[in-house]
Amino acid sequence: MSNQGRIVVYPGSFDPVTNGHLDIIHRARHIFDHVIVAVTQNSAKNSLFTVQERVDLLSAALKKEIRSRSVSVDTFSGLLVDYCRRRRAVAVARGLRALSDFEYEFQMALMNRHLAPKLETVFLMPDEKYTYLSSTLLKEIVRLGGDVGRFVPAALVPKIRQKLAGRG
Ligand code: PNS
């Protein structure tokens, strides 16, 4: 075990981070000693924010946790299992919102288990008020002028608005 104790990697696109992601990070902190929030550099998705912008938004939202050293934010490219091995993580955390997430997550967890049999995937359920929340919907609501105050930390809203207005 590393000097950070039991490490979990929480990987994703985080384009951008939402309160649903933050909820999962807080739940993971209760189970593990250290949570690495790992932003993928090789997402097949068409991202709005650059990797650095996504890291900056996460770092702003997790200032306190980063200062207390229970969370860190990083980026990775290549296979997730290789990154987890390098960081000596014992598990991968993923959020499960609804049944619709299950098939994709199940497939990914089993493929990762095939690639790295000792690496566990743990699924955490966010508070039900975030069940229907996604980065995609968040961006659409901001773009159309809706109120996203409950879905993302207030300090991040102007940055997201600016980016969607093409001024970011
Ligand atoms: O937030 P997302 O987009 O659902 O996250 C997907 C992510 C980044 C976890 C997944 O695409 C991933 O692990 N990518 C790294 C490449 C990899 O290891 N692919 C094989 C997965 S079985």
Side-chain angles (χ1 to χ4, degrees):
M1 205 187 291
S2 95
N3 57 6
Q4 280 179 308
R6 295 180 79 76
I7 296 171
V8 66
V9 167
Y10 177 39
S13 305
F14 304 105
D15 185 45
V17 60
T18 68
N19 284 346
H21 296 127
L22 297 174
D23 181 287
I24 296 294
I25 293 166
H26 292 305
R27 287 171 200 280
R29 280 176 73 221
H30 290 139
I31 307 174
F32 296 94
D33 299 308
H34 189 82
V35 183
I36 301 173
V37 183
V39 180
T40 176
Q41 291 180 1
N42 52 350
S43 175
K45 294 180 189 169
N46 213 343
S47 305
L48 172 71
F49 291 90
T50 66
V51 172
Q52 188 56 52
E53 286 168 338
R54 286 180 265 156
V55 167
D56 291 345
L57 289 171
L58 277 161
S59 304
L62 292 163
K63 234 187 257 167
K64 237 181 36 219
E65 295 76 7
I66 292 171
R67 211 177 300 129
S68 73
R69 295 180 191 278
S70 60
V71 173
S72 53
V73 179
D74 194 10
T75 64
F76 75 103
S77 56
L79 282 180
L80 174 64
V81 292
D82 290 338
Y83 175 75
C84 290
R85 203 174 290 133
R86 284 200 300 280
R87 298 303 308 263
R88 299 186 193 289
V90 294
V92 170
R94 291 285 290 172
L96 261 193
R97 290 165 301 190
L99 203 57
S100 49
D101 284 338
F102 184 77
E103 201 168 330
Y104 169 60
E105 294 297 335
F106 190 63
Q107 189 181 15
M108 220 166 33
L110 290 183
M111 183 54 82
N112 282 333
R113 176 177 285 169
H114 175 78
L115 296 169
K118 286 186 185 154
L119 183 70
E120 287 298 340
T121 298
V122 296
F123 292 109
L124 297 167
M125 280 181 292
D127 191 301
E128 61 250 38
K129 62 181 185 252
Y130 302 130
T131 316
Y132 48 87
L133 175 59
S134 70
S135 298
T136 306
L137 280 185
L138 177 86
K139 283 180 283 197
E140 183 165 324
I141 297 166
V142 173
R143 192 177 288 126
L144 299 175
D147 176 15
V148 290
R150 284 174 47 214
F151 304 135
V152 71
L156 273 51
V157 175
K159 291 179 186 151
I160 298 171
R161 248 188 242 296
Q162 252 177 27
K163 183 77 184 178
L164 281 160
R167 286 179 274 118

